[in-house]
């Protein structure tokens, strides 16, 4: 049993990139689906596909690599808020990720979104992770 599914999601993506895999499979949940959609919208992954099975379903993510250097597009995945220590932030207090080049994924009362979207809607929430 996984006690922190978001950390498991990030670790699976990180390990697949370090091993040079093109596709990674992750057990699905609504939160993981939304994080995957954000990664796709921000250009960090090539494609994704939600597949249903008899249990909870699977997310298949096609990882994105630089065409010339073969380096992964995602340089770092960092879990911020953990089950043992939750990190909440107001819109004005969001930390800039990699001097504005990265994103923070925030769980708000209006859903899971990036820090920039949360600032525009003026909502704060739990900072789940930083991606750059």
């Amino acid at each position: 049993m996984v006690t922190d599914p978001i950390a498991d999601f990030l670790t699976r993506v990180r390990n697949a990139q370090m091993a040079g895999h093109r596709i990674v499979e992750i057990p699905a949940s609504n939160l993981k689906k939304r994080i995957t959609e954000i990664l796709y919208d921000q250009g960090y992954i090539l494609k994704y596909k939600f597949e249903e099975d008899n249990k909870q379903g699977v997310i298949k993510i096609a990882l994105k690599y630089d065409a010339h250097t073969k380096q992964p597009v995602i340089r770092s995945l960092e879990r911020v808020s953990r089950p043992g220590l939750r990190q909440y932030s107001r819109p004005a207090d969001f930390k800039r990720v990699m001097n504005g080049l990265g994103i923070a994924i925030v769980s708000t009362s209006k859903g899971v979104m990036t820090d920039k979207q949360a600032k525009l809607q003026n909502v704060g929430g739990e900072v789940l992770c930083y991606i750059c």
Side-chain angles (χ1 to χ4, degrees), residues 5-6 8-10 13 24-42 45 47-53 55-61 105-106 111-114 117 128-129 131:
I6 300 167
D8 179 60
F9 174 92
L10 298 175
V13 171
V24 61
E25 292 186 7
I26 300 168
S29 72
N30 288 334
L31 181 61
K32 291 178 192 177
K33 287 179 182 178
R34 183 64 188 128
I35 292 172
T36 304
E37 290 169 356
I38 290 172
L39 290 176
Y40 178 75
D41 293 339
Q42 298 296 318
I45 59 175
K47 294 186 268 187
Y48 64 92
K49 185 175 171 184
F50 303 136
E51 291 187 354
E52 296 297 324
D53 59 3
K55 300 174 189 166
Q56 63 187 20
V58 174
I59 304 171
K60 289 189 176 183
I61 299 174
I105 296 180
V106 183
V112 179
M113 60 185 73
T114 65
Q117 293 168 334
L128 300 176
C129 59
I131 299 170

Side-chain angles (χ1 to χ4, degrees), residues 71-127:
Q71 295 294 318
V73 171
I74 300 174
R75 291 194 201 110
S76 97
L77 296 161
E78 181 184 343
R79 180 76 160 114
V80 179
S81 184
R82 306 179 318 238
L85 181 62
R86 302 286 185 190
Q87 299 290 329
Y88 297 95
S89 185
R90 289 178 282 206
D93 299 336
F94 286 139
K95 180 182 157 195
R96 290 179 59 174
V97 181
M98 201 170 161
N99 210 10
L101 296 177
I103 61 169
I105 296 180
V106 183
S107 177
T108 69
S109 59
K110 296 185 179 180
V112 179
M113 60 185 73
T114 65
D115 55 340
K116 293 171 181 76
Q117 293 168 334
K119 275 186 184 180
L120 288 175
Q121 295 186 19
N122 197 29
V123 291
E126 181 182 357
V127 182

